[in-house]
Amino acid sequence: MSSFSRLCLALAAVASLAVGVPAQAERLKDLASIGGVRQNQLVGYGLVVGLDGSGDQTTQTPFTVQSIINMLGNLGVTLPPGQSLQLKNVAAVMVTASLPPFARPGQQIDVTVSSMGNARSLKGGTLVMTPLKGADGQIYAMAQGSLAVSGASGSAGGAKVTVNHLSAGRIPGGATVERAVASPVGQGDSVFVELNEADFGTAQNVVDAINRVAPGAAQAIDGRQIQVLAPEDPNRRVAFLGRLENLDVTPAVQAAKVIVNSRTGSVVMNQKVALQNCAVAHGSLTVTVNNDQQVSQPNPLAGGQTAVTNKGSVDIKQEGGTLFNIKAGTNLADVVKALNAVGANPLELIAILQAMKASGALRAELEVI
């Protein structure tokens, strides 16, 4: 039995014993991907027809009219020069799709259709045959079909109600692959495992997990990529990669990090965030600006005109801030308890976290998104 055969059998044995692995272990396929196994983005420009009067206003979207004239010309219909088209049932759209790895000609993929003009709705429309191109300008798929738009709208008496979004829809299986993309997975005597997130500790754990069942088969190139010896025969390589992806690996503990979304006021932190002893004084400053409009009415026989005057007032209110002594926290529960003691809302908490980071009291990386 060759070394690669013994490696495949060992990987199969480890995968079958996954039930006995501790709960913190994860499958390798959840932590990494195989180099060369990737999706490719496709995009195309097309027309959606059959709309119920909710298409582009052709006077404001001349590219829609030009596209219609070109399409009719390709179908053998010639319009008189200077013809002004006033169409309401057509919309210019962008069609996007993801070409999955190992896709072959004839396979169907889903496409997303999005309006690029001023169409009110794409509901009920049909996408006319649209070529989808990759980054190299080559056509990889052809899209066509009826749109599925998960929304509705209605109006009456000046009132309008809209549910969900009507300017974009999907066509399940709406594109047919016409060209395959070559994959380097089946070439050479080794494959590369690429971590989803670069981490030297996790990379070493992956190497150790593979080398426990096949000594010397794996070596780390850097914090993201691991080189693994693999069979050259395509059938054996597929079986080898299937077993490799099901190996259980314990990821390394991530660095302490606090994620702050300044637009929504969301604050998320992982379990390694810690605080040092610090004191926080938190108070709020409220500025109120009022603008009252007053009407000046002249006497009946004075010959004056009615005038509107503005009377503004500004009020500034400073609430007293209490000095809180925040004790050092060693785990996430202690950190949350200490921050809740301040009594600040999420937006105010963002400012407090930034000040703690600047003072060195927050022992974590602060990232604002």
Side-chain angles (χ1 to χ4, degrees), residues 226-261:
I226 298 97
Q227 183 178 7
V228 183
L229 296 177
E232 296 185 5
D233 180 68
N235 294 330
R236 296 174 59 196
R237 175 162 292 196
V238 170
F240 169 78
L241 293 178
R243 298 184 180 106
L244 182 69
E245 288 183 331
N246 285 284
L247 278 178
D248 287 283
V249 179
T250 302
V253 179
Q254 297 294 323
K257 181 177 290 188
V258 178
I259 307 297
V260 172
N261 191 326

PDB file of all heavy atoms in Angstrom, residues 226-261:
ATOM      1  N   ILE A 226      -1.482  26.611   3.755  1.00  0.00           N
ATOM      2  CA  ILE A 226      -0.815  25.369   4.154  1.00  0.00           C
ATOM      3  C   ILE A 226      -0.697  24.479   2.917  1.00  0.00           C
ATOM      4  O   ILE A 226      -1.679  24.265   2.202  1.00  0.00           O
ATOM      5  CB  ILE A 226      -1.603  24.625   5.257  1.00  0.00           C
ATOM      6  CG1 ILE A 226      -1.694  25.476   6.529  1.00  0.00           C
ATOM      7  CG2 ILE A 226      -0.975  23.287   5.566  1.00  0.00           C
ATOM      8  CD1 ILE A 226      -2.976  26.253   6.653  1.00  0.00           C
ATOM      9  N   GLN A 227       0.496  23.982   2.663  1.00  0.00           N
ATOM     10  CA  GLN A 227       0.738  23.079   1.541  1.00  0.00           C
ATOM     11  C   GLN A 227       0.621  21.635   2.009  1.00  0.00           C
ATOM     12  O   GLN A 227       1.208  21.252   3.019  1.00  0.00           O
ATOM     13  CB  GLN A 227       2.119  23.323   0.939  1.00  0.00           C
ATOM     14  CG  GLN A 227       2.419  22.475  -0.285  1.00  0.00           C
ATOM     15  CD  GLN A 227       3.783  22.789  -0.869  1.00  0.00           C
ATOM     16  OE1 GLN A 227       4.546  23.544  -0.288  1.00  0.00           O
ATOM     17  NE2 GLN A 227       4.074  22.204  -2.024  1.00  0.00           N
ATOM     18  N   VAL A 228      -0.160  20.828   1.257  1.00  0.00           N
ATOM     19  CA  VAL A 228      -0.416  19.440   1.634  1.00  0.00           C
ATOM     20  C   VAL A 228      -0.131  18.555   0.429  1.00  0.00           C
ATOM     21  O   VAL A 228      -0.628  18.806  -0.683  1.00  0.00           O
ATOM     22  CB  VAL A 228      -1.871  19.243   2.106  1.00  0.00           C
ATOM     23  CG1 VAL A 228      -2.093  17.806   2.566  1.00  0.00           C
ATOM     24  CG2 VAL A 228      -2.227  20.223   3.214  1.00  0.00           C
ATOM     25  N   LEU A 229       0.674  17.513   0.625  1.00  0.00           N
ATOM     26  CA  LEU A 229       0.909  16.540  -0.435  1.00  0.00           C
ATOM     27  C   LEU A 229      -0.376  15.782  -0.734  1.00  0.00           C
ATOM     28  O   LEU A 229      -1.100  15.379   0.175  1.00  0.00           O
ATOM     29  CB  LEU A 229       2.010  15.567  -0.019  1.00  0.00           C
ATOM     30  CG  LEU A 229       3.408  16.172   0.189  1.00  0.00           C
ATOM     31  CD1 LEU A 229       4.366  15.091   0.672  1.00  0.00           C
ATOM     32  CD2 LEU A 229       3.913  16.817  -1.088  1.00  0.00           C
ATOM     33  N   ALA A 230      -0.655  15.557  -2.016  1.00  0.00           N
ATOM     34  CA  ALA A 230      -1.903  14.913  -2.421  1.00  0.00           C
ATOM     35  C   ALA A 230      -1.639  13.977  -3.581  1.00  0.00           C
ATOM     36  O   ALA A 230      -0.667  14.152  -4.335  1.00  0.00           O
ATOM     37  CB  ALA A 230      -2.941  15.968  -2.815  1.00  0.00           C
ATOM     38  N   PRO A 231      -2.498  12.951  -3.749  1.00  0.00           N
ATOM     39  CA  PRO A 231      -2.328  12.038  -4.886  1.00  0.00           C
ATOM     40  C   PRO A 231      -2.491  12.771  -6.210  1.00  0.00           C
ATOM     41  O   PRO A 231      -3.254  13.733  -6.316  1.00  0.00           O
ATOM     42  CB  PRO A 231      -3.443  11.003  -4.683  1.00  0.00           C
ATOM     43  CG  PRO A 231      -3.832  11.136  -3.252  1.00  0.00           C
ATOM     44  CD  PRO A 231      -3.605  12.549  -2.867  1.00  0.00           C
ATOM     45  N   GLU A 232      -1.771  12.338  -7.230  1.00  0.00           N
ATOM     46  CA  GLU A 232      -1.877  12.958  -8.542  1.00  0.00           C
ATOM     47  C   GLU A 232      -3.031  12.393  -9.357  1.00  0.00           C
ATOM     48  O   GLU A 232      -3.515  13.054 -10.275  1.00  0.00           O
ATOM     49  CB  GLU A 232      -0.564  12.786  -9.310  1.00  0.00           C
ATOM     50  CG  GLU A 232       0.618  13.501  -8.666  1.00  0.00           C
ATOM     51  CD  GLU A 232       1.870  13.409  -9.513  1.00  0.00           C
ATOM     52  OE1 GLU A 232       1.771  12.873 -10.644  1.00  0.00           O
ATOM     53  OE2 GLU A 232       2.932  13.876  -9.056  1.00  0.00           O
ATOM     54  N   ASP A 233      -3.468  11.172  -9.041  1.00  0.00           N
ATOM     55  CA  ASP A 233      -4.596  10.586  -9.763  1.00  0.00           C
ATOM     56  C   ASP A 233      -5.865  11.366  -9.417  1.00  0.00           C
ATOM     57  O   ASP A 233      -6.163  11.592  -8.233  1.00  0.00           O
ATOM     58  CB  ASP A 233      -4.767   9.119  -9.370  1.00  0.00           C
ATOM     59  CG  ASP A 233      -5.925   8.479 -10.098  1.00  0.00           C
ATOM     60  OD1 ASP A 233      -5.837   8.303 -11.322  1.00  0.00           O
ATOM     61  OD2 ASP A 233      -6.938   8.180  -9.421  1.00  0.00           O
ATOM     62  N   PRO A 234      -6.657  11.839 -10.405  1.00  0.00           N
ATOM     63  CA  PRO A 234      -7.834  12.669 -10.120  1.00  0.00           C
ATOM     64  C   PRO A 234      -8.837  12.002  -9.193  1.00  0.00           C
ATOM     65  O   PRO A 234      -9.381  12.649  -8.284  1.00  0.00           O
ATOM     66  CB  PRO A 234      -8.430  12.925 -11.508  1.00  0.00           C
ATOM     67  CG  PRO A 234      -7.280  12.755 -12.452  1.00  0.00           C
ATOM     68  CD  PRO A 234      -6.419  11.688 -11.850  1.00  0.00           C
ATOM     69  N   ASN A 235      -9.136  10.706  -9.397  1.00  0.00           N
ATOM     70  CA  ASN A 235     -10.121  10.036  -8.556  1.00  0.00           C
ATOM     71  C   ASN A 235      -9.652   9.962  -7.103  1.00  0.00           C
ATOM     72  O   ASN A 235     -10.413  10.228  -6.171  1.00  0.00           O
ATOM     73  CB  ASN A 235     -10.394   8.627  -9.094  1.00  0.00           C
ATOM     74  CG  ASN A 235     -11.076   8.655 -10.455  1.00  0.00           C
ATOM     75  OD1 ASN A 235     -11.827   9.591 -10.758  1.00  0.00           O
ATOM     76  ND2 ASN A 235     -10.803   7.659 -11.276  1.00  0.00           N
ATOM     77  N   ARG A 236      -8.399   9.603  -6.911  1.00  0.00           N
ATOM     78  CA  ARG A 236      -7.876   9.517  -5.549  1.00  0.00           C
ATOM     79  C   ARG A 236      -7.772  10.895  -4.915  1.00  0.00           C
ATOM     80  O   ARG A 236      -7.935  11.060  -3.711  1.00  0.00           O
ATOM     81  CB  ARG A 236      -6.509   8.833  -5.577  1.00  0.00           C
ATOM     82  CG  ARG A 236      -6.558   7.386  -6.063  1.00  0.00           C
ATOM     83  CD  ARG A 236      -5.165   6.823  -6.206  1.00  0.00           C
ATOM     84  NE  ARG A 236      -4.443   6.872  -4.935  1.00  0.00           N
ATOM     85  CZ  ARG A 236      -3.125   6.740  -4.848  1.00  0.00           C
ATOM     86  NH1 ARG A 236      -2.393   6.579  -5.941  1.00  0.00           N
ATOM     87  NH2 ARG A 236      -2.538   6.770  -3.667  1.00  0.00           N
ATOM     88  N   ARG A 237      -7.487  11.929  -5.734  1.00  0.00           N
ATOM     89  CA  ARG A 237      -7.371  13.281  -5.181  1.00  0.00           C
ATOM     90  C   ARG A 237      -8.720  13.786  -4.685  1.00  0.00           C
ATOM     91  O   ARG A 237      -8.793  14.439  -3.638  1.00  0.00           O
ATOM     92  CB  ARG A 237      -6.799  14.228  -6.239  1.00  0.00           C
ATOM     93  CG  ARG A 237      -6.751  15.666  -5.783  1.00  0.00           C
ATOM     94  CD  ARG A 237      -5.820  16.503  -6.615  1.00  0.00           C
ATOM     95  NE  ARG A 237      -4.431  16.128  -6.425  1.00  0.00           N
ATOM     96  CZ  ARG A 237      -3.382  16.888  -6.786  1.00  0.00           C
ATOM     97  NH1 ARG A 237      -3.602  18.078  -7.317  1.00  0.00           N
ATOM     98  NH2 ARG A 237      -2.156  16.490  -6.598  1.00  0.00           N
ATOM     99  N   VAL A 238      -9.783  13.497  -5.399  1.00  0.00           N
ATOM    100  CA  VAL A 238     -11.113  13.919  -4.954  1.00  0.00           C
ATOM    101  C   VAL A 238     -11.462  13.265  -3.627  1.00  0.00           C
ATOM    102  O   VAL A 238     -11.961  13.916  -2.692  1.00  0.00           O
ATOM    103  CB  VAL A 238     -12.175  13.596  -6.029  1.00  0.00           C
ATOM    104  CG1 VAL A 238     -13.580  13.806  -5.478  1.00  0.00           C
ATOM    105  CG2 VAL A 238     -11.958  14.470  -7.260  1.00  0.00           C
ATOM    106  N   ALA A 239     -11.214  11.956  -3.519  1.00  0.00           N
ATOM    107  CA  ALA A 239     -11.481  11.266  -2.260  1.00  0.00           C
ATOM    108  C   ALA A 239     -10.600  11.804  -1.140  1.00  0.00           C
ATOM    109  O   ALA A 239     -11.046  11.967   0.007  1.00  0.00           O
ATOM    110  CB  ALA A 239     -11.256   9.758  -2.436  1.00  0.00           C
ATOM    111  N   PHE A 240      -9.347  12.115  -1.462  1.00  0.00           N
ATOM    112  CA  PHE A 240      -8.428  12.650  -0.461  1.00  0.00           C
ATOM    113  C   PHE A 240      -8.914  14.000   0.061  1.00  0.00           C
ATOM    114  O   PHE A 240      -8.933  14.249   1.273  1.00  0.00           O
ATOM    115  CB  PHE A 240      -7.040  12.780  -1.085  1.00  0.00           C
ATOM    116  CG  PHE A 240      -6.076  13.560  -0.253  1.00  0.00           C
ATOM    117  CD1 PHE A 240      -5.467  12.985   0.851  1.00  0.00           C
ATOM    118  CD2 PHE A 240      -5.767  14.866  -0.575  1.00  0.00           C
ATOM    119  CE1 PHE A 240      -4.570  13.709   1.624  1.00  0.00           C
ATOM    120  CE2 PHE A 240      -4.876  15.596   0.181  1.00  0.00           C
ATOM    121  CZ  PHE A 240      -4.278  15.012   1.284  1.00  0.00           C
ATOM    122  N   LEU A 241      -9.339  14.889  -0.843  1.00  0.00           N
ATOM    123  CA  LEU A 241      -9.803  16.218  -0.424  1.00  0.00           C
ATOM    124  C   LEU A 241     -11.091  16.128   0.374  1.00  0.00           C
ATOM    125  O   LEU A 241     -11.314  16.911   1.304  1.00  0.00           O
ATOM    126  CB  LEU A 241     -10.002  17.106  -1.656  1.00  0.00           C
ATOM    127  CG  LEU A 241      -8.728  17.488  -2.421  1.00  0.00           C
ATOM    128  CD1 LEU A 241      -9.065  18.322  -3.643  1.00  0.00           C
ATOM    129  CD2 LEU A 241      -7.765  18.229  -1.519  1.00  0.00           C
ATOM    130  N   GLY A 242     -11.964  15.171   0.019  1.00  0.00           N
ATOM    131  CA  GLY A 242     -13.198  14.998   0.785  1.00  0.00           C
ATOM    132  C   GLY A 242     -12.924  14.616   2.230  1.00  0.00           C
ATOM    133  O   GLY A 242     -13.580  15.107   3.152  1.00  0.00           O
ATOM    134  N   ARG A 243     -11.960  13.728   2.444  1.00  0.00           N
ATOM    135  CA  ARG A 243     -11.606  13.331   3.807  1.00  0.00           C
ATOM    136  C   ARG A 243     -10.834  14.441   4.515  1.00  0.00           C
ATOM    137  O   ARG A 243     -10.973  14.639   5.722  1.00  0.00           O
ATOM    138  CB  ARG A 243     -10.790  12.044   3.771  1.00  0.00           C
ATOM    139  CG  ARG A 243     -11.554  10.852   3.173  1.00  0.00           C
ATOM    140  CD  ARG A 243     -10.739   9.573   3.248  1.00  0.00           C
ATOM    141  NE  ARG A 243     -11.476   8.448   2.674  1.00  0.00           N
ATOM    142  CZ  ARG A 243     -11.211   7.900   1.497  1.00  0.00           C
ATOM    143  NH1 ARG A 243     -10.219   8.372   0.758  1.00  0.00           N
ATOM    144  NH2 ARG A 243     -11.917   6.878   1.043  1.00  0.00           N
ATOM    145  N   LEU A 244     -10.022  15.167   3.749  1.00  0.00           N
ATOM    146  CA  LEU A 244      -9.247  16.256   4.348  1.00  0.00           C
ATOM    147  C   LEU A 244     -10.162  17.341   4.904  1.00  0.00           C
ATOM    148  O   LEU A 244      -9.928  17.875   5.997  1.00  0.00           O
ATOM    149  CB  LEU A 244      -8.298  16.829   3.298  1.00  0.00           C
ATOM    150  CG  LEU A 244      -7.362  17.951   3.776  1.00  0.00           C
ATOM    151  CD1 LEU A 244      -6.336  17.398   4.747  1.00  0.00           C
ATOM    152  CD2 LEU A 244      -6.671  18.609   2.578  1.00  0.00           C
ATOM    153  N   GLU A 245     -11.213  17.667   4.186  1.00  0.00           N
ATOM    154  CA  GLU A 245     -12.120  18.727   4.628  1.00  0.00           C
ATOM    155  C   GLU A 245     -12.874  18.359   5.898  1.00  0.00           C
ATOM    156  O   GLU A 245     -13.358  19.251   6.601  1.00  0.00           O
ATOM    157  CB  GLU A 245     -13.122  19.064   3.522  1.00  0.00           C
ATOM    158  CG  GLU A 245     -12.523  19.806   2.350  1.00  0.00           C
ATOM    159  CD  GLU A 245     -13.562  20.180   1.317  1.00  0.00           C
ATOM    160  OE1 GLU A 245     -14.569  19.435   1.204  1.00  0.00           O
ATOM    161  OE2 GLU A 245     -13.394  21.188   0.629  1.00  0.00           O
ATOM    162  N   ASN A 246     -12.999  17.085   6.197  1.00  0.00           N
ATOM    163  CA  ASN A 246     -13.754  16.663   7.380  1.00  0.00           C
ATOM    164  C   ASN A 246     -12.870  16.442   8.605  1.00  0.00           C
ATOM    165  O   ASN A 246     -13.360  15.964   9.629  1.00  0.00           O
ATOM    166  CB  ASN A 246     -14.532  15.384   7.067  1.00  0.00           C
ATOM    167  CG  ASN A 246     -15.743  15.647   6.204  1.00  0.00           C
ATOM    168  OD1 ASN A 246     -16.761  16.148   6.673  1.00  0.00           O
ATOM    169  ND2 ASN A 246     -15.635  15.342   4.918  1.00  0.00           N
ATOM    170  N   LEU A 247     -11.585  16.761   8.511  1.00  0.00           N
ATOM    171  CA  LEU A 247     -10.730  16.714   9.691  1.00  0.00           C
ATOM    172  C   LEU A 247     -11.180  17.771  10.699  1.00  0.00           C
ATOM    173  O   LEU A 247     -11.555  18.889  10.322  1.00  0.00           O
ATOM    174  CB  LEU A 247      -9.277  16.968   9.303  1.00  0.00           C
ATOM    175  CG  LEU A 247      -8.476  15.786   8.749  1.00  0.00           C
ATOM    176  CD1 LEU A 247      -7.079  16.248   8.376  1.00  0.00           C
ATOM    177  CD2 LEU A 247      -8.423  14.646   9.743  1.00  0.00           C
ATOM    178  N   ASP A 248     -11.130  17.439  11.983  1.00  0.00           N
ATOM    179  CA  ASP A 248     -11.504  18.383  13.033  1.00  0.00           C
ATOM    180  C   ASP A 248     -10.269  19.119  13.522  1.00  0.00           C
ATOM    181  O   ASP A 248      -9.246  18.507  13.857  1.00  0.00           O
ATOM    182  CB  ASP A 248     -12.177  17.649  14.189  1.00  0.00           C
ATOM    183  CG  ASP A 248     -13.579  17.187  13.822  1.00  0.00           C
ATOM    184  OD1 ASP A 248     -14.489  18.031  13.806  1.00  0.00           O
ATOM    185  OD2 ASP A 248     -13.737  15.990  13.526  1.00  0.00           O
ATOM    186  N   VAL A 249     -10.384  20.437  13.548  1.00  0.00           N
ATOM    187  CA  VAL A 249      -9.277  21.300  13.939  1.00  0.00           C
ATOM    188  C   VAL A 249      -9.780  22.269  14.999  1.00  0.00           C
ATOM    189  O   VAL A 249     -10.882  22.825  14.870  1.00  0.00           O
ATOM    190  CB  VAL A 249      -8.710  22.083  12.734  1.00  0.00           C
ATOM    191  CG1 VAL A 249      -7.574  23.003  13.168  1.00  0.00           C
ATOM    192  CG2 VAL A 249      -8.243  21.125  11.648  1.00  0.00           C
ATOM    193  N   THR A 250      -9.003  22.472  16.026  1.00  0.00           N
ATOM    194  CA  THR A 250      -9.345  23.455  17.059  1.00  0.00           C
ATOM    195  C   THR A 250      -8.710  24.788  16.683  1.00  0.00           C
ATOM    196  O   THR A 250      -7.481  24.920  16.662  1.00  0.00           O
ATOM    197  CB  THR A 250      -8.817  23.011  18.433  1.00  0.00           C
ATOM    198  OG1 THR A 250      -9.377  21.735  18.755  1.00  0.00           O
ATOM    199  CG2 THR A 250      -9.207  24.015  19.501  1.00  0.00           C
ATOM    200  N   PRO A 251      -9.519  25.797  16.340  1.00  0.00           N
ATOM    201  CA  PRO A 251      -8.944  27.096  15.957  1.00  0.00           C
ATOM    202  C   PRO A 251      -8.291  27.784  17.145  1.00  0.00           C
ATOM    203  O   PRO A 251      -8.694  27.598  18.298  1.00  0.00           O
ATOM    204  CB  PRO A 251     -10.152  27.878  15.440  1.00  0.00           C
ATOM    205  CG  PRO A 251     -11.327  27.252  16.098  1.00  0.00           C
ATOM    206  CD  PRO A 251     -10.989  25.799  16.279  1.00  0.00           C
ATOM    207  N   ALA A 252      -7.273  28.578  16.874  1.00  0.00           N
ATOM    208  CA  ALA A 252      -6.604  29.336  17.921  1.00  0.00           C
ATOM    209  C   ALA A 252      -7.518  30.437  18.440  1.00  0.00           C
ATOM    210  O   ALA A 252      -8.438  30.885  17.750  1.00  0.00           O
ATOM    211  CB  ALA A 252      -5.302  29.937  17.379  1.00  0.00           C
ATOM    212  N   VAL A 253      -7.290  30.844  19.669  1.00  0.00           N
ATOM    213  CA  VAL A 253      -8.083  31.915  20.279  1.00  0.00           C
ATOM    214  C   VAL A 253      -7.793  33.221  19.554  1.00  0.00           C
ATOM    215  O   VAL A 253      -6.633  33.612  19.381  1.00  0.00           O
ATOM    216  CB  VAL A 253      -7.757  32.038  21.777  1.00  0.00           C
ATOM    217  CG1 VAL A 253      -8.560  33.168  22.401  1.00  0.00           C
ATOM    218  CG2 VAL A 253      -8.051  30.722  22.489  1.00  0.00           C
ATOM    219  N   GLN A 254      -8.852  33.885  19.123  1.00  0.00           N
ATOM    220  CA  GLN A 254      -8.704  35.132  18.381  1.00  0.00           C
ATOM    221  C   GLN A 254      -8.280  36.262  19.301  1.00  0.00           C
ATOM    222  O   GLN A 254      -8.488  36.233  20.516  1.00  0.00           O
ATOM    223  CB  GLN A 254     -10.018  35.483  17.683  1.00  0.00           C
ATOM    224  CG  GLN A 254     -10.469  34.478  16.647  1.00  0.00           C
ATOM    225  CD  GLN A 254      -9.530  34.424  15.461  1.00  0.00           C
ATOM    226  OE1 GLN A 254      -8.987  35.437  15.029  1.00  0.00           O
ATOM    227  NE2 GLN A 254      -9.323  33.221  14.934  1.00  0.00           N
ATOM    228  N   ALA A 255      -7.681  37.287  18.717  1.00  0.00           N
ATOM    229  CA  ALA A 255      -7.278  38.462  19.477  1.00  0.00           C
ATOM    230  C   ALA A 255      -8.509  39.207  19.984  1.00  0.00           C
ATOM    231  O   ALA A 255      -9.585  39.176  19.364  1.00  0.00           O
ATOM    232  CB  ALA A 255      -6.427  39.384  18.603  1.00  0.00           C
ATOM    233  N   ALA A 256      -8.358  39.861  21.130  1.00  0.00           N
ATOM    234  CA  ALA A 256      -9.469  40.632  21.698  1.00  0.00           C
ATOM    235  C   ALA A 256      -9.832  41.772  20.756  1.00  0.00           C
ATOM    236  O   ALA A 256      -8.963  42.528  20.310  1.00  0.00           O
ATOM    237  CB  ALA A 256      -9.078  41.173  23.067  1.00  0.00           C
ATOM    238  N   LYS A 257     -11.108  41.891  20.456  1.00  0.00           N
ATOM    239  CA  LYS A 257     -11.544  42.905  19.490  1.00  0.00           C
ATOM    240  C   LYS A 257     -12.940  43.398  19.852  1.00  0.00           C
ATOM    241  O   LYS A 257     -13.803  42.623  20.263  1.00  0.00           O
ATOM    242  CB  LYS A 257     -11.543  42.335  18.078  1.00  0.00           C
ATOM    243  CG  LYS A 257     -11.971  43.319  16.993  1.00  0.00           C
ATOM    244  CD  LYS A 257     -11.892  42.714  15.603  1.00  0.00           C
ATOM    245  CE  LYS A 257     -10.462  42.508  15.184  1.00  0.00           C
ATOM    246  NZ  LYS A 257     -10.351  42.100  13.761  1.00  0.00           N
ATOM    247  N   VAL A 258     -13.138  44.703  19.690  1.00  0.00           N
ATOM    248  CA  VAL A 258     -14.445  45.332  19.866  1.00  0.00           C
ATOM    249  C   VAL A 258     -14.828  45.967  18.532  1.00  0.00           C
ATOM    250  O   VAL A 258     -14.074  46.783  17.988  1.00  0.00           O
ATOM    251  CB  VAL A 258     -14.435  46.395  20.973  1.00  0.00           C
ATOM    252  CG1 VAL A 258     -15.805  47.060  21.100  1.00  0.00           C
ATOM    253  CG2 VAL A 258     -14.035  45.778  22.299  1.00  0.00           C
ATOM    254  N   ILE A 259     -15.990  45.591  18.002  1.00  0.00           N
ATOM    255  CA  ILE A 259     -16.483  46.117  16.726  1.00  0.00           C
ATOM    256  C   ILE A 259     -17.576  47.133  17.024  1.00  0.00           C
ATOM    257  O   ILE A 259     -18.550  46.817  17.715  1.00  0.00           O
ATOM    258  CB  ILE A 259     -17.016  45.005  15.814  1.00  0.00           C
ATOM    259  CG1 ILE A 259     -15.953  43.911  15.639  1.00  0.00           C
ATOM    260  CG2 ILE A 259     -17.427  45.570  14.467  1.00  0.00           C
ATOM    261  CD1 ILE A 259     -14.697  44.367  14.972  1.00  0.00           C
ATOM    262  N   VAL A 260     -17.418  48.343  16.496  1.00  0.00           N
ATOM    263  CA  VAL A 260     -18.365  49.425  16.743  1.00  0.00           C
ATOM    264  C   VAL A 260     -18.924  49.882  15.408  1.00  0.00           C
ATOM    265  O   VAL A 260     -18.168  50.163  14.470  1.00  0.00           O
ATOM    266  CB  VAL A 260     -17.682  50.607  17.465  1.00  0.00           C
ATOM    267  CG1 VAL A 260     -18.616  51.797  17.551  1.00  0.00           C
ATOM    268  CG2 VAL A 260     -17.234  50.190  18.859  1.00  0.00           C
ATOM    269  N   ASN A 261     -20.250  49.916  15.299  1.00  0.00           N
ATOM    270  CA  ASN A 261     -20.927  50.466  14.118  1.00  0.00           C
ATOM    271  C   ASN A 261     -21.473  51.830  14.493  1.00  0.00           C
ATOM    272  O   ASN A 261     -22.476  51.937  15.196  1.00  0.00           O
ATOM    273  CB  ASN A 261     -22.046  49.526  13.653  1.00  0.00           C
ATOM    274  CG  ASN A 261     -22.594  49.919  12.287  1.00  0.00           C
ATOM    275  OD1 ASN A 261     -22.663  51.094  11.939  1.00  0.00           O
ATOM    276  ND2 ASN A 261     -22.999  48.933  11.508  1.00  0.00           N
TER     277      ASN A 261
END
